[in-house]
Coordinates of all heavy atoms in Angstrom, one line a residue:
M1 N 0.8 -1.2 0.0 CA 0.0 0.0 0.0 C 0.9 1.3 0.0 O 1.8 1.4 0.8 CB -0.9 0.0 1.2 CG -2.0 1.0 1.2 SD -3.2 0.8 2.5 CE -2.5 1.9 3.7
K2 N 0.6 2.2 -0.9 CA 1.4 3.4 -1.0 C 1.1 4.3 0.2 O -0.1 4.6 0.5 CB 1.0 4.0 -2.3 CG 2.1 5.0 -2.7 CD 1.8 5.6 -4.1 CE 2.8 6.7 -4.4 NZ 2.4 7.5 -5.5
Q3 N 2.2 4.8 0.8 CA 2.0 5.7 2.0 C 1.8 7.2 1.5 O 2.6 7.6 0.6 CB 3.2 5.6 2.9 CG 2.9 6.1 4.3 CD 4.2 6.0 5.2 OE1 5.1 5.3 4.8 NE2 4.1 6.6 6.3
E4 N 0.9 7.9 2.1 CA 0.7 9.3 1.8 C 1.8 10.1 2.3 O 2.1 10.0 3.5 CB -0.7 9.7 2.4 CG -1.3 11.0 1.8 CD -1.6 10.8 0.3 OE1 -2.1 9.7 -0.1 OE2 -1.4 11.8 -0.4
K5 N 2.5 10.9 1.5 CA 3.6 11.7 2.0 C 3.1 13.2 2.2 O 2.2 13.6 1.5 CB 4.7 11.7 1.0 CG 5.4 10.4 1.0 CD 6.6 10.4 0.1 CE 7.3 9.0 0.1 NZ 8.3 9.0 -0.9
K6 N 3.8 13.8 3.2 CA 3.4 15.2 3.5 C 4.0 16.1 2.4 O 5.1 15.8 1.9 CB 4.0 15.6 4.9 CG 3.2 15.0 6.0 CD 3.8 15.5 7.3 CE 3.0 14.9 8.5 NZ 3.5 15.4 9.8
G7 N 3.4 17.2 2.2 CA 3.9 18.2 1.3 C 4.9 19.1 2.1 O 4.9 19.0 3.4
W8 N 5.7 19.9 1.5 CA 6.8 20.6 2.2 C 6.1 21.6 3.2 O 6.7 22.0 4.2 CB 7.7 21.3 1.3 CG 7.2 22.4 0.4 CD1 6.6 22.2 -0.8 CD2 7.1 23.8 0.7 NE1 6.2 23.4 -1.3 CE2 6.5 24.4 -0.4 CE3 7.4 24.5 1.8 CZ2 6.2 25.7 -0.4 CZ3 7.2 25.9 1.8 CH2 6.6 26.5 0.6
R9 N 4.9 22.1 2.9 CA 4.3 23.1 3.8 C 3.9 22.6 5.1 O 3.8 23.2 6.1 CB 3.1 23.8 3.1 CG 3.5 24.7 2.0 CD 2.3 25.5 1.5 NE 2.6 26.3 0.3 CZ 2.6 25.9 -0.9 NH1 2.3 24.6 -1.2 NH2 2.9 26.7 -1.9
E10 N 3.7 21.2 5.2 CA 3.2 20.6 6.4 C 4.4 20.1 7.3 O 4.2 19.7 8.4 CB 2.3 19.4 6.1 CG 1.0 19.8 5.3 CD 0.7 18.7 4.3 OE1 1.4 18.5 3.4 OE2 -0.4 18.1 4.5
L11 N 5.6 20.1 6.7 CA 6.7 19.6 7.5 C 7.1 20.7 8.6 O 6.9 21.9 8.4 CB 7.9 19.4 6.6 CG 7.8 18.3 5.6 CD1 9.0 18.3 4.6 CD2 7.7 17.0 6.3
P12 N 7.5 20.2 9.8 CA 8.0 21.1 10.8 C 9.2 21.9 10.4 O 10.0 21.4 9.6 CB 8.3 20.2 12.0 CG 8.5 18.9 11.5 CD 7.7 18.8 10.2
I13 N 9.3 23.1 10.9 CA 10.5 23.9 10.6 C 11.7 23.2 11.1 O 11.8 22.8 12.3 CB 10.4 25.3 11.2 CG1 9.2 26.0 10.5 CG2 11.6 26.1 11.0 CD1 8.8 27.3 11.1
G14 N 12.7 23.0 10.3 CA 13.9 22.2 10.7 C 15.0 23.2 11.1 O 14.7 24.2 11.7
L15 N 16.2 22.7 10.9 CA 17.4 23.5 11.4 C 18.0 24.4 10.3 O 19.1 24.8 10.5 CB 18.4 22.5 11.9 CG 18.0 21.7 13.1 CD1 19.1 20.7 13.5 CD2 17.8 22.7 14.3
A16 N 17.3 24.6 9.3 CA 17.8 25.6 8.3 C 18.0 26.9 9.0 O 17.2 27.4 9.7 CB 16.8 25.7 7.2
W17 N 19.2 27.5 8.8 CA 19.6 28.7 9.4 C 19.6 29.8 8.4 O 19.7 29.6 7.2 CB 21.0 28.5 10.1 CG 21.3 29.4 11.2 CD1 22.1 30.5 11.2 CD2 20.7 29.4 12.5 NE1 22.1 31.1 12.4 CE2 21.3 30.4 13.3 CE3 19.8 28.5 13.2 CZ2 21.0 30.6 14.6 CZ3 19.6 28.7 14.5 CH2 20.2 29.8 15.2
K18 N 19.5 31.0 8.9 CA 19.6 32.1 7.9 C 21.0 32.1 7.2 O 22.0 31.8 7.8 CB 19.4 33.5 8.6 CG 20.3 33.8 9.7 CD 19.9 35.1 10.3 CE 20.8 35.4 11.6 NZ 20.4 36.5 12.4
S19 N 20.9 32.4 5.9 CA 22.1 32.3 5.2 C 23.0 33.5 5.3 O 22.6 34.5 5.9 CB 21.7 32.1 3.7 OG 21.1 33.3 3.3
G20 N 24.2 33.5 4.8 CA 25.1 34.6 4.7 C 26.3 34.6 5.6 O 27.3 35.2 5.3
T21 N 26.2 33.9 6.7 CA 27.4 33.9 7.7 C 27.4 32.6 8.5 O 26.3 32.0 8.8 CB 27.3 35.1 8.6 OG1 28.4 35.0 9.5 CG2 26.1 35.2 9.4
S22 N 28.6 32.2 8.9 CA 28.7 31.1 9.8 C 29.3 31.6 11.1 O 29.7 30.8 11.9 CB 29.6 30.0 9.2 OG 30.9 30.6 8.9
K23 N 29.3 32.9 11.3 CA 29.8 33.5 12.5 C 29.2 33.0 13.8 O 29.8 32.9 14.8 CB 29.8 35.0 12.4 CG 31.1 35.6 12.1 CD 31.1 37.1 12.3 CE 32.6 37.4 12.9 NZ 33.0 38.6 12.8
E24 N 27.9 32.8 13.6 CA 27.1 32.4 14.8 C 27.3 30.9 15.2 O 26.9 30.6 16.3 CB 25.6 32.7 14.6 CG 25.3 34.1 14.5 CD 24.0 34.5 13.9 OE1 23.0 33.8 14.4 OE2 23.9 35.3 13.1
F25 N 28.0 30.2 14.4 CA 28.2 28.8 14.7 C 29.6 28.6 15.3 O 30.6 28.7 14.6 CB 28.1 27.9 13.5 CG 26.7 27.8 12.9 CD1 26.4 28.6 11.8 CD2 25.8 26.9 13.5 CE1 25.1 28.5 11.3 CE2 24.5 26.9 13.0 CZ 24.2 27.7 11.9
E26 N 29.7 28.5 16.6 CA 31.0 28.3 17.2 C 31.4 26.9 17.2 O 31.0 26.1 18.1 CB 30.9 29.0 18.6 CG 30.7 30.4 18.5 CD 30.9 31.2 19.8 OE1 31.2 30.5 20.9 OE2 30.6 32.4 19.8
T27 N 32.1 26.5 16.2 CA 32.4 25.1 15.9 C 33.5 24.5 16.7 O 33.9 23.3 16.6 CB 32.7 24.9 14.5 OG1 33.7 25.9 14.1 CG2 31.5 25.1 13.6
G28 N 34.1 25.3 17.6 CA 35.3 24.8 18.4 C 34.9 23.7 19.4 O 35.7 23.0 19.9
D29 N 33.6 23.6 19.7 CA 33.1 22.6 20.7 C 33.4 21.1 20.2 O 33.4 20.2 21.0 CB 31.6 22.7 20.9 CG 31.3 23.8 21.9 OD1 32.3 24.4 22.4 OD2 30.1 24.1 22.1
W30 N 33.6 21.0 18.9 CA 33.7 19.6 18.3 C 35.1 19.1 18.5 O 35.4 17.9 18.3 CB 33.4 19.7 16.8 CG 32.1 20.2 16.5 CD1 31.1 20.5 17.3 CD2 31.7 20.6 15.1 NE1 30.0 21.0 16.6 CE2 30.4 21.1 15.3 CE3 32.2 20.5 13.9 CZ2 29.6 21.5 14.2 CZ3 31.5 20.9 12.8 CH2 30.2 21.4 12.9
R31 N 36.0 20.0 19.0 CA 37.5 19.6 18.9 C 37.9 18.6 19.9 O 37.4 18.6 21.1 CB 38.2 20.9 19.2 CG 39.6 21.0 18.8 CD 40.2 22.4 19.1 NE 39.9 22.9 20.4 CZ 39.2 24.1 20.6 NH1 38.9 24.9 19.6 NH2 39.0 24.5 21.8
S32 N 38.7 17.6 19.5 CA 39.3 16.7 20.4 C 40.8 16.9 20.6 O 41.4 16.6 21.6 CB 39.0 15.2 20.0 OG 39.6 15.0 18.8
D33 N 41.4 17.6 19.6 CA 42.8 18.0 19.7 C 42.8 19.5 19.5 O 42.0 20.1 18.8 CB 43.6 17.2 18.7 CG 43.7 15.8 19.0 OD1 44.1 15.4 20.1 OD2 43.5 15.0 18.1
K34 N 43.9 20.1 20.1 CA 44.0 21.5 20.0 C 45.3 22.0 19.5 O 46.3 21.5 20.0 CB 43.7 22.0 21.5 CG 43.8 23.4 21.8 CD 43.6 23.6 23.3 CE 43.4 25.0 23.6 NZ 43.0 25.2 25.0
P35 N 45.4 22.9 18.6 CA 46.7 23.4 18.2 C 47.3 24.5 19.2 O 46.6 25.3 19.7 CB 46.4 24.1 16.8 CG 45.0 24.5 16.9 CD 44.3 23.6 17.9
I36 N 48.5 24.3 19.5 CA 49.2 25.3 20.3 C 50.2 26.1 19.5 O 51.1 25.4 18.9 CB 49.9 24.6 21.6 CG1 48.9 23.8 22.4 CG2 50.6 25.7 22.5 CD1 47.9 24.6 23.2
W37 N 50.1 27.3 19.5 CA 51.0 28.2 18.6 C 52.1 28.8 19.5 O 51.8 29.3 20.6 CB 50.1 29.3 18.0 CG 50.9 30.3 17.3 CD1 51.6 30.2 16.1 CD2 51.0 31.7 17.7 NE1 52.2 31.4 15.8 CE2 51.8 32.3 16.7 CE3 50.6 32.5 18.8 CZ2 52.2 33.7 16.8 CZ3 50.9 33.8 18.8 CH2 51.7 34.4 17.8
D38 N 53.3 28.7 19.0 CA 54.5 29.2 19.7 C 54.9 30.5 19.0 O 55.5 30.5 18.0 CB 55.6 28.1 19.7 CG 56.8 28.5 20.5 OD1 57.0 29.7 20.7 OD2 57.5 27.6 21.0
A39 N 54.7 31.6 19.7 CA 55.0 32.9 19.2 C 56.5 33.1 19.0 O 56.9 33.9 18.1 CB 54.5 34.0 20.1
Q40 N 57.3 32.4 19.8 CA 58.8 32.6 19.6 C 59.3 31.9 18.3 O 60.2 32.4 17.7 CB 59.5 31.9 20.9 CG 59.0 32.4 22.2 CD 59.2 33.9 22.3 OE1 60.2 34.5 22.0 NE2 58.2 34.6 22.9
K41 N 58.6 30.8 18.0 CA 59.1 30.1 16.8 C 58.5 30.6 15.5 O 59.2 30.5 14.4 CB 58.8 28.6 16.9 CG 59.6 27.8 18.0 CD 59.2 26.4 17.9 CE 59.8 25.5 18.9 NZ 59.2 24.2 19.0
C42 N 57.4 31.2 15.5 CA 56.6 31.6 14.3 C 57.4 32.6 13.5 O 57.8 33.6 14.1 CB 55.2 32.1 14.7 SG 54.2 32.6 13.4
T43 N 57.5 32.4 12.2 CA 58.1 33.4 11.3 C 57.1 34.2 10.5 O 57.4 35.0 9.7 CB 59.0 32.6 10.3 OG1 58.2 31.8 9.5 CG2 60.1 31.9 11.0
H44 N 55.8 34.0 10.8 CA 54.7 34.7 10.2 C 54.6 34.5 8.7 O 54.3 35.5 7.9 CB 54.7 36.2 10.6 CG 54.8 36.4 12.1 ND1 53.6 36.2 12.8 CD2 55.7 36.6 12.9 CE1 53.9 36.4 14.1 NE2 55.2 36.6 14.2
C45 N 54.9 33.3 8.2 CA 54.9 33.1 6.8 C 53.4 33.0 6.3 O 53.2 33.1 5.1 CB 55.6 31.7 6.5 SG 54.9 30.3 7.2
L46 N 52.5 32.7 7.3 CA 51.1 32.7 7.0 C 50.6 31.5 6.2 O 49.4 31.4 5.8 CB 50.6 34.0 6.3 CG 50.8 35.3 7.0 CD1 50.0 36.4 6.4 CD2 50.4 35.2 8.5
I47 N 51.4 30.4 6.2 CA 51.0 29.2 5.5 C 49.8 28.6 6.3 O 48.9 28.2 5.7 CB 52.2 28.2 5.4 CG1 53.2 28.7 4.4 CG2 51.7 26.8 5.0 CD1 54.5 27.9 4.3
C48 N 49.9 28.6 7.6 CA 48.8 28.1 8.4 C 47.5 28.8 8.1 O 46.4 28.2 8.1 CB 49.2 28.1 9.9 SG 49.6 29.8 10.5
W49 N 47.6 30.1 8.0 CA 46.4 30.9 7.8 C 45.8 30.6 6.4 O 44.5 30.5 6.3 CB 46.8 32.4 7.8 CG 45.8 33.4 7.5 CD1 44.7 33.7 8.3 CD2 45.6 34.1 6.2 NE1 43.9 34.6 7.6 CE2 44.5 34.9 6.4 CE3 46.3 34.1 5.0 CZ2 44.0 35.7 5.3 CZ3 45.9 35.0 4.0 CH2 44.8 35.7 4.1
I50 N 46.6 30.3 5.4 CA 46.1 30.0 4.0 C 45.4 28.6 4.1 O 44.3 28.4 3.5 CB 47.3 29.9 3.0 CG1 47.8 31.3 2.8 CG2 46.8 29.2 1.7 CD1 49.2 31.3 2.1
Y51 N 45.9 27.7 4.8 CA 45.4 26.3 4.9 C 44.3 26.1 5.8 O 43.5 25.2 5.6 CB 46.5 25.3 5.2 CG 47.3 24.9 3.9 CD1 48.4 25.6 3.6 CD2 46.9 23.9 3.1 CE1 49.2 25.3 2.5 CE2 47.6 23.5 2.0 CZ 48.8 24.3 1.7 OH 49.5 23.9 0.5
C52 N 44.1 26.9 6.9 CA 43.1 26.6 7.9 C 41.7 26.7 7.2 O 41.3 27.7 6.7 CB 43.2 27.7 9.0 SG 41.9 27.4 10.2
P53 N 41.0 25.6 7.3 CA 39.7 25.6 6.7 C 38.6 26.4 7.4 O 37.5 26.6 6.9 CB 39.3 24.1 6.6 CG 40.1 23.5 7.7 CD 41.3 24.3 7.9
D54 N 38.9 26.8 8.6 CA 37.9 27.5 9.5 C 38.3 28.9 9.7 O 37.6 29.5 10.6 CB 37.7 26.7 10.8 CG 37.1 25.4 10.5 OD1 36.0 25.3 10.1 OD2 37.8 24.3 10.8
S55 N 39.3 29.5 9.0 CA 39.7 30.8 9.3 C 39.9 31.1 10.8 O 39.5 32.1 11.3 CB 38.7 31.8 8.7 OG 38.5 31.6 7.3
A56 N 40.5 30.1 11.5 CA 40.7 30.3 12.9 C 42.1 30.8 13.3 O 42.3 30.9 14.5 CB 40.5 28.9 13.5
I57 N 42.9 31.0 12.3 CA 44.2 31.6 12.6 C 44.0 33.1 12.6 O 43.6 33.7 11.7 CB 45.3 31.2 11.6 CG1 45.4 29.7 11.3 CG2 46.6 31.9 11.9 CD1 46.1 29.0 12.5
I58 N 44.3 33.7 13.8 CA 44.1 35.2 13.9 C 45.3 35.9 13.4 O 46.5 35.7 13.8 CB 43.8 35.6 15.4 CG1 42.7 34.8 15.9 CG2 43.6 37.1 15.5 CD1 42.6 34.8 17.4
V59 N 45.1 36.8 12.4 CA 46.2 37.5 11.8 C 45.8 39.0 11.9 O 44.7 39.4 11.5 CB 46.4 37.1 10.3 CG1 47.5 38.0 9.6 CG2 46.9 35.7 10.3
K60 N 46.8 39.8 12.4 CA 46.6 41.3 12.3 C 47.9 41.9 11.8 O 49.0 41.5 12.2 CB 46.4 41.8 13.8 CG 45.0 41.5 14.3 CD 44.6 42.3 15.5 CE 43.2 41.8 15.9 NZ 43.2 41.4 17.3
E61 N 47.6 42.8 10.8 CA 48.8 43.5 10.2 C 49.8 42.5 9.7 O 51.0 42.7 9.9 CB 49.3 44.5 11.1 CG 48.3 45.7 11.3 CD 48.7 46.7 12.4 OE1 49.8 46.6 12.9 OE2 47.9 47.5 12.7
G62 N 49.4 41.4 9.0 CA 50.3 40.5 8.5 C 51.0 39.6 9.4 O 51.9 38.8 9.0
K63 N 50.6 39.6 10.7 CA 51.3 38.7 11.7 C 50.3 37.8 12.4 O 49.2 38.3 12.8 CB 52.1 39.6 12.7 CG 53.1 40.4 12.0 CD 54.3 40.6 12.9 CE 55.5 41.1 12.0 NZ 56.7 41.3 12.7
V64 N 50.7 36.6 12.7 CA 49.8 35.7 13.4 C 49.8 36.2 14.9 O 50.8 36.5 15.5 CB 50.4 34.3 13.3 CG1 49.5 33.3 14.2 CG2 50.3 33.7 11.9
Q65 N 48.5 36.2 15.4 CA 48.3 36.6 16.8 C 48.0 35.5 17.7 O 48.0 35.6 18.9 CB 47.2 37.7 16.8 CG 47.4 38.9 15.9 CD 48.6 39.8 16.4 OE1 48.6 40.2 17.5 NE2 49.5 39.9 15.5
G66 N 47.5 34.4 17.1 CA 47.0 33.3 17.9 C 46.0 32.5 17.1 O 45.9 32.6 15.9
I67 N 45.2 31.7 17.9 CA 44.2 30.8 17.2 C 42.9 31.1 17.9 O 42.8 31.2 19.1 CB 44.7 29.3 17.4 CG1 45.9 29.1 16.6 CG2 43.5 28.4 17.0 CD1 46.7 27.9 17.0
D68 N 41.9 31.3 17.1 CA 40.5 31.5 17.6 C 39.9 30.1 17.9 O 39.4 29.5 17.1 CB 39.7 32.3 16.6 CG 38.4 32.7 17.1 OD1 38.0 32.2 18.2 OD2 37.8 33.7 16.5
Y69 N 39.9 29.8 19.2 CA 39.4 28.5 19.6 C 37.9 28.4 19.6 O 37.3 27.3 19.7 CB 39.9 28.1 21.0 CG 41.4 27.9 21.0 CD1 42.3 28.7 21.8 CD2 42.0 26.8 20.3 CE1 43.6 28.5 21.8 CE2 43.4 26.6 20.3 CZ 44.2 27.4 21.0 OH 45.5 27.2 21.1
K70 N 37.2 29.5 19.4 CA 35.7 29.4 19.2 C 35.4 28.7 17.9 O 34.4 28.1 17.8 CB 35.2 30.8 19.1 CG 35.0 31.4 20.5 CD 34.1 32.6 20.5 CE 34.7 33.7 19.7 NZ 34.1 35.0 19.8
Y71 N 36.3 28.8 16.9 CA 36.0 28.2 15.6 C 37.0 27.1 15.2 O 36.6 26.3 14.3 CB 36.0 29.3 14.5 CG 35.0 30.4 14.8 CD1 35.3 31.5 15.4 CD2 33.7 30.1 14.5 CE1 34.3 32.5 15.7 CE2 32.7 31.0 14.8 CZ 33.0 32.2 15.4 OH 32.1 33.1 15.7
C72 N 38.1 27.0 15.9 CA 39.1 25.9 15.5 C 38.5 24.5 15.8 O 38.1 24.3 16.9 CB 40.4 26.1 16.3 SG 41.5 24.7 16.2
K73 N 38.4 23.7 14.8 CA 37.9 22.3 15.0 C 38.9 21.3 15.3 O 38.7 20.1 15.5 CB 37.1 21.9 13.8 CG 35.8 22.7 13.6 CD 34.8 22.0 12.8 CE 35.0 22.0 11.3 NZ 34.5 23.2 10.7
G74 N 40.2 21.7 15.4 CA 41.3 20.8 15.7 C 41.7 19.9 14.7 O 42.1 18.8 15.0
C75 N 41.5 20.2 13.4 CA 41.8 19.3 12.3 C 43.4 19.0 12.2 O 43.7 18.0 11.7 CB 41.3 19.8 11.0 SG 42.1 21.3 10.5
G76 N 44.2 19.9 12.7 CA 45.6 19.7 12.7 C 46.3 20.1 11.4 O 47.5 19.9 11.3
I77 N 45.6 20.7 10.4 CA 46.1 21.0 9.2 C 47.2 22.1 9.3 O 48.3 22.0 8.8 CB 45.1 21.5 8.2 CG1 44.2 20.3 7.8 CG2 45.7 22.2 6.9 CD1 43.0 20.7 6.9
C78 N 47.0 23.1 10.2 CA 48.0 24.1 10.5 C 49.3 23.6 11.0 O 50.4 24.0 10.5 CB 47.4 25.2 11.5 SG 46.8 24.4 13.0
A79 N 49.2 22.6 11.9 CA 50.4 22.0 12.4 C 51.1 21.2 11.4 O 52.4 21.2 11.3 CB 50.1 21.1 13.7
E80 N 50.4 20.6 10.5 CA 51.0 19.7 9.4 C 51.6 20.6 8.4 O 52.7 20.3 7.8 CB 49.8 19.0 8.8 CG 50.2 18.0 7.8 CD 50.9 16.8 8.4 OE1 50.7 16.4 9.6 OE2 51.7 16.2 7.6
E81 N 51.1 21.8 8.1 CA 51.6 22.7 7.1 C 52.6 23.7 7.5 O 53.4 24.2 6.7 CB 50.4 23.5 6.4 CG 49.4 22.5 5.7 CD 50.0 21.7 4.5 OE1 51.1 22.2 4.0 OE2 49.5 20.7 4.2
C82 N 52.7 23.9 8.8 CA 53.8 24.8 9.4 C 55.1 24.2 9.0 O 55.3 22.9 9.2 CB 53.7 25.0 10.9 SG 54.9 26.1 11.5
P83 N 56.0 24.9 8.4 CA 57.2 24.3 7.9 C 58.0 23.4 8.9 O 58.1 23.9 10.0 CB 58.1 25.5 7.4 CG 57.1 26.5 7.1 CD 55.9 26.4 8.0
P84 N 58.4 22.2 8.5 CA 59.0 21.3 9.5 C 60.2 21.9 10.2 O 60.4 21.5 11.4 CB 59.4 20.1 8.6 CG 58.7 20.2 7.3 CD 58.4 21.7 7.2
K85 N 60.9 22.8 9.7 CA 62.1 23.3 10.4 C 61.7 24.4 11.4 O 62.4 24.7 12.3 CB 63.1 24.0 9.4 CG 63.9 23.0 8.6 CD 64.9 23.7 7.7 CE 65.7 22.6 6.9 NZ 66.5 23.2 5.9
I86 N 60.4 24.8 11.3 CA 59.9 25.8 12.2 C 59.1 25.2 13.3 O 59.3 25.4 14.5 CB 59.2 27.0 11.5 CG1 60.1 27.6 10.5 CG2 58.6 28.0 12.5 CD1 59.4 28.5 9.5
K87 N 58.1 24.4 12.9 CA 57.2 23.7 13.8 C 56.7 24.6 14.9 O 56.8 24.3 16.2 CB 57.9 22.4 14.4 CG 57.8 21.2 13.5 CD 56.4 20.6 13.7 CE 56.1 19.6 12.6 NZ 54.7 19.6 12.1
A88 N 56.0 25.6 14.5 CA 55.5 26.6 15.6 C 54.2 26.2 16.1 O 53.6 26.9 17.0 CB 55.5 28.0 14.9
I89 N 53.6 25.2 15.5 CA 52.3 24.7 16.0 C 52.4 23.3 16.3 O 52.8 22.4 15.5 CB 51.1 24.9 15.0 CG1 51.0 26.4 14.6 CG2 49.8 24.5 15.5 CD1 50.0 26.8 13.6
T90 N 51.9 22.9 17.5 CA 51.9 21.5 17.9 C 50.4 21.1 18.4 O 49.8 22.0 18.9 CB 52.8 21.1 19.0 OG1 52.7 22.1 20.0 CG2 54.3 21.1 18.6
M91 N 50.0 19.9 18.1 CA 48.7 19.5 18.5 C 48.7 18.8 19.9 O 49.6 18.0 20.1 CB 48.1 18.5 17.5 CG 47.9 19.2 16.1 SD 46.8 20.6 16.0 CE 45.2 19.9 16.3
V92 N 47.8 19.2 20.7 CA 47.7 18.5 22.0 C 46.3 18.0 22.3 O 45.4 18.5 21.6 CB 48.2 19.4 23.2 CG1 49.6 19.9 23.0 CG2 47.3 20.6 23.3
R93 N 46.1 17.1 23.2 CA 44.8 16.7 23.5 C 44.0 17.7 24.2 O 44.6 18.5 25.0 CB 44.9 15.4 24.4 CG 43.7 14.5 24.4 CD 43.6 13.7 23.1 NE 42.4 13.0 23.1 CZ 41.8 12.6 22.0 NH1 42.3 12.8 20.8 NH2 40.6 12.0 22.0
E94 N 42.8 18.0 23.7 CA 41.9 19.0 24.3 C 41.5 18.6 25.7 O 41.1 17.5 25.9 CB 40.7 19.2 23.5 CG 39.7 20.2 24.0 CD 40.1 21.6 23.9 OE1 40.2 22.1 22.7 OE2 40.3 22.3 24.9
E95 N 41.7 19.5 26.7 CA 41.2 19.2 28.1 C 39.9 20.0 28.2 O 39.8 21.2 27.9 CB 42.2 19.8 29.1 CG 43.6 19.3 28.9 CD 43.7 17.9 29.5 OE1 43.0 17.5 30.4 OE2 44.6 17.2 29.1
K96 N 38.8 19.3 28.6 CA 37.5 20.0 28.7 C 37.3 20.3 30.2 O 37.6 19.6 31.1 CB 36.4 19.1 28.2 CG 36.5 18.8 26.7 CD 35.9 19.9 25.9 CE 36.0 19.6 24.4 NZ 35.7 20.7 23.5
Ligands
SF4_101 S1 43.6 22.9 13.8 FE1 42.5 23.1 11.9 S2 40.8 24.5 12.3 FE2 42.2 24.7 14.0 S3 43.5 26.4 13.5 FE3 44.6 24.5 12.8 S4 43.9 24.3 10.6 FE4 42.5 25.8 11.6
SF4_102 S1 52.9 28.3 9.3 FE1 54.0 28.2 11.2 S2 55.6 29.7 11.0 FE2 54.1 30.1 9.4 S3 52.8 31.6 10.2 FE3 51.9 29.7 10.7 S4 52.6 29.2 12.8 FE4 53.9 30.8 11.9

């Protein structure tokens, strides 16, 4: 027997969010590992900033200032891409 399906107007309002920005989604809660940035080692080449998929590397006037943990998901790409001879970012286990 064919089941009657609801039309879209009868469906409950879901989780669709207003478009245009992801600023309101603080995705840092998902993190299990955390990047630690070493200001002494950093040469401000900005490779980490280019690669970070969450725009979580804070840069002011061309220099890295730190990591925005509200949005950093802990993927580790920044640590992977920071030049091996510099290694200014290391990943550590997140403490909650
Ligand atoms: S761990 Fe991933 S999300 Fe966090 S700052 Fe590094 S590249 Fe960006
Ligand atoms: S990739 Fe490493 S050295 Fe380059 S800006 Fe980022 S933390 Fe600094």
Side-chain angles (χ1 to χ4, degrees):
M1 195 173 90
K2 200 175 170 193
Q3 198 180 349
E4 200 64 38
K5 289 187 180 166
K6 287 184 177 182
W8 66 270
R9 287 189 184 85
E10 297 146 295
L11 294 172
I13 295 171
L15 291 176
W17 204 254
K18 59 184 172 188
S19 62
T21 179
S22 58
K23 256 197 143 154
E24 290 163 48
F25 294 98
E26 294 189 2
T27 49
D29 279 357
W30 305 350
R31 200 172 47 236
S32 58
D33 292 310
K34 177 181 192 168
I36 303 290
W37 171 70
D38 186 332
Q40 305 302 316
K41 290 184 182 171
C42 181
T43 61
H44 306 282
C45 66
L46 302 189
I47 291 173
C48 56
W49 176 75
I50 292 166
Y51 277 91
C52 175
D54 293 297
S55 301
I57 307 287
I58 303 163
V59 173
K60 282 195 186 127
E61 293 170 5
K63 298 212 166 183
V64 175
Q65 307 290 304
I67 293 162
D68 188 342
Y69 291 117
K70 278 193 298 195
Y71 299 100
C72 165
K73 291 203 281 278
C75 65
I77 293 173
C78 54
E80 189 66 29
E81 296 299 334
C82 183
K85 285 187 181 165
I86 301 168
K87 273 279 165 223
I89 302 178
T90 46
M91 298 302 289
V92 299
R93 202 75 188 154
E94 175 78 64
E95 304 282 335
K96 296 275 181 193

